[in-house]
Amino acid sequence: MSMNKVLEKKLLEPLSGNHAVAYAVRDCDVDVISAYPITPQTTIVEKLAEFVASGELDAEFLHVESEHSALSAAIGAAASGARAFTATSSQGLALMYEVLFIASGMRIPMVMALVTRALSAPINIWNDHSDLMASQDTGWIQLVSTNNQEAYDFIIIGYKLSEREDVMLPVMVALDGYIQSHTIEPVQLEDPEKVRKFVPKKKRPVTLDPEKPVSFGTLGDPDWYYEFKIQQAEALERAYQAYKEVSSEFSQYFGRSYEPFQILYGEDSDAILVVLGAHTGTFLKAVEMARREGMKIGLGVIRMLRPFPPEVSKYLSQYSFIGVADKAINFGSASGSYLTNDIATSLYLEGASSRITTYIYGIGGRPVKIEDALYVVRHLWRISKRLEEVPKKPVFVGVRY
Amino acid sequence: MRYEIIFHGRGGQGAVTAAEIMAYAAILSGLYAQAFPEFGAERRGAPVKAYFRVDDKEPIYERNPVERPDMIAVLDEGLILRLHPPIYTNLKSNGWIIINSSRDPEKLRDVVERKDVKIAVVNATSIALELFKRPIVNTTIIGALMKVFNVIPMENIEKAIRSKFQKDVAEINIKAIKKGYENTVVIE
């Protein structure tokens, strides 16, 4: 089964995830890039600085003194009508936390790349989804790529989605630190002219404009704040349908499309393992190996984390047993996993009685071996055959404890 | 057919770049390929691993580190001689070890405990010192690797080098690859 139809036999560019993002930003003709240029920043902004220096991209590149300022500057630029971009990772995103809510509350259209990494303490520069998951409730649209092609495509889709008048919300595009950001793999780059035709710059209804002064992010007193927030929540809900439309148009232009939630090997499966991010491919490999051993397990791939896609519960409620693989620990929460909390809630609201097993893996860059992925798939299969009880707590894969 | 290669080196020798050059060349050849380093804090001198997968038919989905390589390319002979368990423990039977060493290849053969694998030896350090005046051996090792690995045409390795390095740096690296190729002793 082909996960990404892009890898046809045509010549593709060898690109790291970081460079794939930078090329997409260039191709979207972004006007302003703001970045705090040292750790935990990535080569995304290094490559963009090269594009600006060489004249390949006509943009203002702002070096700022922190990630808090990087996002603030991008918000200011976007509010004035510019197409803005920044990128961050780990502690950088954590430092932006306050400003994340301001971007979504001010209904700022922009795109930010998040190269996912673990959070301190202890200090750890390696990959997991702690930063991504901890930012899921900040009002941003979150698209999670599984390979570098998707990282490139989601930046382009992100601008189109973000700037729609019925959405007007910031978009975060996640790619896994190191596992994608530092991995060279084939990527189909599109003709920049064609990309710019797909995401044309349009005059927005309200921008900061000295000719026609307005205020953004001003006081919302108890008489109005509530209404603003309801409108924001509705816009994020609309972003789901808007994404489907943008994705379908993207497919007409470029021949690739990505469902917010995709099930592979669903038809005859006894259970579905839900995953997201770069190790989707590793789990797919494990699922295919287990199926050759007769274990009928399917894979559910989440590519849109916020808004949480309604079809997740619709599809998953048909299965008695669900596995959820999460690369972050949700400390002290009901299930211990961000992803399980969402999936369990959506299944409960659907009236489904599916049982969920949570698998935590790859924390702080712990290598994910094929045996680890196979362990998860086989464990879930034993549960589906009632050879094993459904554990109430997460199964910690690959931990020495 | 899927091939998996691990480049073993020390920080500063260019193992990561070697794997990247191979992936560049493979993708330029229309193959599916993937290269990534073992992720660590970068320190000069510390053991480094870089992984390279290539497939002429099937896309590569998995992202787990290569666990059972078809070949290992060893940029520093100390990594072969002094690590326990030896780095070739999980090398596939009939697999290849490509080693940078100044030792007599036959004697090196005796040191390698696996008798079911083949070795190719090149004195990459002396070639690198001659060409670069520094012991950056990655491209010389690629030359040695190409002697026993025929999935990617040499012209695309050169193309990859030219797209990754500036002109004069590219030319000297291509020279290193050729010298590495010519001076490799193969023991089956």
Side-chain angles (χ1 to χ4, degrees):
Chain A
M1 181 171 299
S2 171
M3 196 173 73
N4 38 359
K5 289 185 191 127
V6 55
L7 295 170
E8 290 158 12
K9 283 275 172 193
K10 52 183 166 179
L11 280 188
L12 305 171
E13 286 286 324
L15 287 181
S16 69
N18 285 338
H19 284 186
V21 167
Y23 275 96
V25 171
R26 180 200 67 178
D27 295 348
C28 289
D29 194 20
V30 163
D31 303 307
V32 177
I33 298 151
S34 59
Y36 179 59
I38 65 163
T39 299
Q41 190 51 269
T42 63
T43 53
I44 293 175
V45 301
E46 241 176 82
K47 190 75 187 167
L48 284 169
E50 274 177 42
F51 286 145
V52 172
S54 70
E56 269 182 85
L57 175 62
D58 179 17
E60 199 68 48
F61 194 105
L62 306 173
H63 289 272
V64 291
E65 71 282 15
S66 74
E67 284 86 356
H68 191 282
S69 301
L71 184 53
S72 301
I75 290 172
S80 75
R83 187 169 278 174
F85 176 82
T86 187
T88 193
S89 187
S90 177
Q91 304 307 119
L93 183 72
L95 188 57
M96 283 178 182
Y97 187 65
E98 169 184 49
V99 197
L100 291 171
F101 292 92
I102 292 173
S104 57
M106 276 169 63
R107 309 287 301 278
I108 295 294
M110 64 167 286
V111 173
M112 174 163 74
L114 172 67
V115 180
T116 69
R117 287 200 207 169
L119 292 170
S120 295
I123 296 172
N124 177 297
I125 61 159
W126 289 269
N127 167 268
D128 69 25
H129 287 157
S130 301
D131 50 1
L132 167 68
M133 290 303 190
S135 67
Q136 65 183 6
D137 300 331
T138 57
W140 285 56
I141 296 165
Q142 290 178 313
L143 304 176
V144 185
S145 64
T146 75
N147 59 37
N148 297 349
Q149 182 70 58
E150 290 178 18
Y152 175 84
D153 291 347
F154 278 161
I155 295 285
I156 299 166
I157 288 171
Y159 277 108
K160 182 103 173 172
L161 179 60
S162 179
E163 292 171 6
R164 272 176 65 128
E165 277 186 36
D166 59 346
V167 176
M168 295 294 279
L169 285 170
V171 172
M172 196 184 291
V173 174
L175 62 154
D176 270 81
Y178 299 102
I179 303 173
Q180 278 174 265
S181 68
H182 288 56
T183 294
I184 306 284
E185 59 187 35
V187 175
Q188 174 70 56
L189 292 180
E190 299 297 343
D191 173 16
E193 294 281 310
K194 199 172 167 191
V195 173
R196 288 164 195 194
K197 218 176 126 203
F198 176 73
V199 274
K201 287 182 183 161
K202 286 188 221 145
K203 185 141 176 58
R204 295 184 203 132
V206 189
T207 51
L208 291 176
D209 180 358
E211 302 291 311
K212 211 177 138 194
V214 290
S215 288
F216 271 66
T218 182
L219 185 73
D221 63 19
D223 225 13
W224 284 108
Y225 181 88
Y226 199 174
E227 282 70 24
F228 272 112
K229 288 290 141 181
I230 295 298
Q231 286 188 355
Q232 184 189 335
E234 285 176 353
L236 189 54
E237 207 178 312
R238 278 197 302 274
Y240 169 74
Q241 189 50 41
Y243 170 85
K244 294 199 98 165
E245 288 165 24
V246 171
S247 174
S248 142
E249 200 186 331
F250 184 87
S251 151
Q252 283 162 26
Y253 265 74
F254 305 110
R256 298 180 294 276
S257 67
Y258 307 104
E259 288 299 313
F261 181 60
Q262 178 189 19
I263 290 198
L264 299 164
Y265 295 113
E267 313 81 37
D268 61 345
S269 282
D270 298 319
I272 299 288
L273 176 66
V274 182
V275 296
L276 87 173
H279 273 304
T280 294
T282 313
F283 283 108
L284 176 62
K285 181 98 176 175
V287 159
E288 288 177 346
M289 287 165 84
R291 292 182 75 87
R292 284 198 288 274
E293 297 170 14
M295 300 178 197
K296 291 186 172 156
I297 299 293
L299 198 68
V301 186
I302 291 183
R303 288 193 175 82
M304 180 182 243
L305 189 58
R306 287 289 180 271
F308 197 71
E311 69 257 38
V312 173
S313 58
K314 204 177 92 198
Y315 292 163
L316 292 184
S317 61
Q318 301 162 37
Y319 299 89
S320 303
F321 297 97
I322 312 292
V324 176
D326 199 343
K327 209 158 47 176
I329 300 170
N330 191 356
F331 299 102
S333 77
S335 74
S337 151
Y338 293 92
L339 213 44
T340 297
N341 287 350
D342 263 329
I343 291 169
T345 306
S346 67
L347 284 168
Y348 183 83
L349 294 173
E350 187 84 14
S353 56
S354 321
R355 301 294 310 278
I356 302 177
T357 305
T358 302
Y359 302 92
I360 304 283
Y361 72 103
I363 298 299
R366 178 61 51 90
V368 178
K369 298 180 175 174
I370 197 72
E371 295 98 279
D372 298 324
L374 269 171
Y375 171 84
V376 168
V377 174
R378 288 180 179 139
H379 187 269
L380 180 61
W381 180 80
R382 285 201 304 279
I383 285 176
S384 76
K385 293 293 167 195
R386 294 170 172 80
L387 300 170
E388 197 135 356
E389 289 285 307
V390 176
K392 291 212 168 67
K393 302 231 178 240
V395 176
F396 295 101
V397 181
V399 73
R400 294 187 309 276
Y401 194 67
Chain B
M1 188 66 182
R2 170 78 53 97
Y3 297 92
E4 297 182 319
I5 301 177
I6 303 179
F7 289 84
H8 291 269
R10 293 187 184 274
Q13 288 184 317
V16 176
T17 306
E20 287 184 5
I21 289 167
M22 294 306 287
Y24 265 65
I27 293 165
L28 292 176
S29 311
L31 304 168
Y32 299 104
Q34 181 191 66
F36 58 100
E38 180 188 59
F39 314 115
E42 285 134 25
R43 289 152 303 174
R44 204 158 275 268
V48 168
K49 278 192 260 183
Y51 306 102
F52 167 58
R53 287 190 172 103
V54 61
D55 199 304
D56 55 0
K57 290 199 178 62
E58 299 289 321
I60 299 163
Y61 297 142
E62 74 273 27
R63 297 178 183 281
N64 53 303
V66 170
E67 288 152 44
R68 303 237 325 118
D70 297 279
M71 296 187 180
I72 57 172
V74 187
L75 280 65
D76 181 322
E77 70 168 17
L79 296 169
I80 270 272
L81 302 174
R82 284 191 280 278
L83 290 184
H84 293 280
I87 54 173
Y88 45 76
T89 305
N90 292 325
L91 181 63
K92 281 187 191 157
S93 199
N94 285 319
W96 281 96
I97 307 176
I98 299 38
I99 316 174
N100 167 25
S101 175
S102 57
R103 289 170 191 245
D104 177 349
E106 291 295 340
K107 283 190 185 140
L108 201 58
R109 163 80 274 180
D110 294 338
V111 174
V112 173
E113 289 160 26
R114 290 272 304 269
K115 301 305 167 200
D116 61 332
V117 301
K118 299 170 274 191
I119 69 172
V121 185
V122 65
N123 191 345
T125 305
S126 87
I127 295 172
L129 285 173
E130 180 196 323
L131 291 174
F132 303 104
K133 317 286 174 226
R134 280 189 299 167
I136 302 175
V137 295
N138 54 355
T139 40
T140 312
I141 278 288
I142 288 178
L145 176 71
M146 288 300 286
K147 190 110 178 178
V148 299
F149 182 70
N150 53 15
V151 174
I152 301 166
M154 186 61 109
E155 65 195 65
N156 287 338
I157 300 274
E158 291 181 19
K159 246 193 228 172
I161 297 265
R162 289 203 176 92
S163 71
K164 210 166 159 58
F165 298 111
Q166 286 180 340
K167 201 177 177 306
D168 44 337
V169 181
E171 292 315 314
I172 194 160
N173 275 289
I174 288 167
K175 202 180 266 181
I177 287 177
K178 287 186 173 152
K179 280 213 149 190
Y181 185 91
E182 287 160 9
N183 290 286
T184 298
V185 177
V186 171
I187 305 177
E188 303 233 2

